[in-house]
Amino acid sequence: TMRTCSHQCFFFFLMICKVTSGFSFINSKGLLVSLDLRHRSISNTKLHLDGEGMAGSTFNKHILGDIIRALQPSYLSQVKKSIDGNLKGMETLDLEPFLNFQSTRTQVSWEVLANTLRQQQTSQEKSFRSKLEQGLIHSPLASYRVFKSSSNYLPESKSKSNMSITFYRDSAAWCPYCQKVYIALEEKQIPYRVVKVDMNSYAGSSKPSDFLRIQPSGSLPCAVIHRHREGNQNQNQSEDQVIQQSDDILAAIDALGSNNRNIKVKVPSLLPNSQAEIEYMKFLCDDGRNSLERRLYAEWLWYLTGKRRPVEYRQRFEAILDEVDSTLSSTDTPGPFFMGEFSMADIKFIPFVERQSASLLYYKGFNLRDASKWPHIVKWLEAMEARPSYLATKSDVYTHSRALPPQLSAGCEFYEGCEESRDAVDIYCLPTTNANASSSGIRIGMEWREEGWGNYYKDTQVAQREAAERIIFNHINIVKFAARA
């Protein structure tokens, strides 16, 4: 633990010091740390290392430096001040309402819960798992996907010969670059198989060796295009092409979806044809850091992670939003999409705008979906959310608020004024004046709902049954994880 996360480890030790007034630690390799804060003095902090150190004869000097820096008096004083500022004293918890509520509940088994759910499910809800297994549902849970428009539509067959693409994506569907590929595959209706690989930002993650053979960098997404040709004695032979960058994968998908012999319905190209359209697409999203999409991305990161000039960061982000809104309102491209009709530009913009909207609402209290300021962005988002290809990959504000910090090299900064929206996201409801309370005293009124889902979950009971199905189906792994200590 010391070697892999010294900063976090020492911060935890310092929290122990705050409670116990002192701490001593010695490991088998000869590291001794003694801290004594009883007199609120750091002068007697000591650090002793003997010959072999923590890593044998190849002692990690960087870790030693981390440890020494973590024990500097100025650092310890800063940590102590931060801890003191967050201490709120003793708080009395009244557990009686909760205990009364629990006493009225009947303890049931998972089997009883599953039977109860089946009695309430619609026929379509009951068929979810079987359709998922057949590859007929667009879902992050799917391991492969087929379309009835494919000439080789055989849902019972999962062999590579029936899949045009093997799509390597992140396990938890956090990655925006993977999301782009996901949307394009669905739009072009190309049969694909999914292989889930952990992102580098996952705690304790590692890449499987077979993936690293085709993608040595370990980056995601990655795709293998399976091109089939007739061989000797009528045996099909596969010529696989590995594509390692998301934009290159998008281009290959577009070409494959327009010319694939296995697809009866040819989907029009999502890339521009004329020179004028190519130049406009370049301005939108194909000109590296100079493109509108990347400039929007850069200003978002400054606003989300910046500390020194919060007002300036917000103004700069609002200015680029004005430019995006103006671009969408251009008379040269009528319609809600960037190129007028749905195109690859929309696929490249949407994963990042989704994360911008979610993160800024949570960390800044900033509403990107303000129709009074950016009406064309709001119309574009609504048009995107009406497309099944995107809606099935769309995540929620709560998930993004937790998933983004480990993915970014810098932390997400809370700004003053975000408390109301942050609390709404965290508990997924806002206390209301007319909220009813049960006899147990537990408030049951829920008024706030996240924007961007339209009528998808208009019936809350549908959403509740879906959540119940996911938990019941996966309850063994959930219980194992909850009991991992």
Side-chain angles (χ1 to χ4, degrees), residues 184-285:
L185 285 168
E186 288 293 319
E187 287 287 342
K188 302 296 288 190
Q189 298 189 11
I190 299 173
Y192 60 92
R193 183 170 67 98
V194 175
V195 178
K196 297 178 182 178
V197 180
D198 286 352
M199 292 173 68
N200 291 329
S201 57
Y202 295 177
S205 66
S206 61
K207 309 287 185 182
S209 57
D210 57 344
F211 172 68
L212 292 175
R213 278 195 291 270
I214 63 170
Q215 181 74 311
S217 68
S219 61
L220 294 167
C222 179
V224 179
I225 310 294
H226 306 296
R227 304 185 188 278
H228 306 287
R229 61 182 175 82
E230 294 297 322
N232 296 330
Q233 299 178 350
N234 295 323
Q235 294 294 317
N236 286 334
Q237 296 182 1
S238 177
E239 296 179 344
D240 293 346
Q241 176 189 5
V242 178
I243 306 179
Q244 299 169 325
Q245 297 291 336
S246 60
D247 284 355
D248 294 337
I249 297 171
L250 293 179
I253 288 172
D254 189 72
L256 193 63
S258 301
N259 305 301
N260 192 342
R261 65 178 177 83
N262 291 327
I263 298 178
K264 296 178 181 177
V265 179
K266 299 297 187 260
V267 180
S269 175
L270 298 174
L271 292 171
N273 295 315
S274 69
Q275 187 59 38
E277 289 177 336
I278 291 173
E279 288 299 319
Y280 192 63
M281 178 80 81
K282 181 178 179 181
F283 157 74
L284 289 172
C285 57

Side-chain angles (χ1 to χ4, degrees), residues 460-476:
T460 57
Q461 292 185 349
V462 172
Q464 290 168 355
R465 290 196 299 270
E466 180 180 311
E469 193 278 339
R470 303 299 188 268
I471 293 173
I472 292 170
F473 181 85
N474 202 35
H475 74 271
I476 293 177

Side-chain angles (χ1 to χ4, degrees), residues 259-318:
N259 305 301
N260 192 342
R261 65 178 177 83
N262 291 327
I263 298 178
K264 296 178 181 177
V265 179
K266 299 297 187 260
V267 180
S269 175
L270 298 174
L271 292 171
N273 295 315
S274 69
Q275 187 59 38
E277 289 177 336
I278 291 173
E279 288 299 319
Y280 192 63
M281 178 80 81
K282 181 178 179 181
F283 157 74
L284 289 172
C285 57
D286 284 343
D287 191 20
R289 295 180 181 180
N290 297 321
S291 68
L292 179 61
E293 188 273 322
R294 288 289 89 181
R295 288 189 287 119
L296 175 66
Y297 175 83
E299 295 301 341
W300 165 58
L301 284 185
W302 277 111
Y303 186 22
L304 180 62
T305 64
K307 297 181 181 180
R308 292 182 297 170
R309 298 187 293 274
V311 175
E312 177 188 329
Y313 299 146
R314 176 177 179 133
Q315 291 173 344
R316 283 165 45 181
F317 185 72
E318 289 180 332

Side-chain angles (χ1 to χ4, degrees), residues 100-117:
N100 290 339
F101 175 75
Q102 283 294 94
S103 66
T104 64
R105 311 296 290 178
T106 302
Q107 300 300 320
V108 296
S109 66
W110 288 105
E111 290 75 17
V112 171
L113 287 173
N115 290 332
T116 303
L117 175 63

Side-chain angles (χ1 to χ4, degrees), residues 1-2 5-27 31-35 37 54 67 70-71 76 79 83:
T1 303
M2 285 286 200
C5 53
S6 59
H7 286 300
Q8 295 91 328
C9 187
F10 267 87
F11 184 76
F12 178 70
F13 290 165
L14 292 170
M15 293 177 68
I16 294 175
C17 292
K18 181 62 183 176
V19 177
T20 64
S21 299
F23 185 80
S24 295
F25 173 82
I26 185 168
N27 77 350
L31 172 68
L32 171 66
V33 178
S34 301
L35 297 176
L37 302 183
M54 289 182 290
I67 294 171
L71 292 175
L76 293 176
V79 172
I83 293 175

Side-chain angles (χ1 to χ4, degrees), residues 147-154 162 191 260-266:
F147 300 88
K148 291 185 178 180
S149 59
S150 301
S151 61
N152 64 345
Y153 168 63
L154 294 171
N162 287 319
N260 192 342
R261 65 178 177 83
N262 291 327
I263 298 178
K264 296 178 181 177
V265 179
K266 299 297 187 260

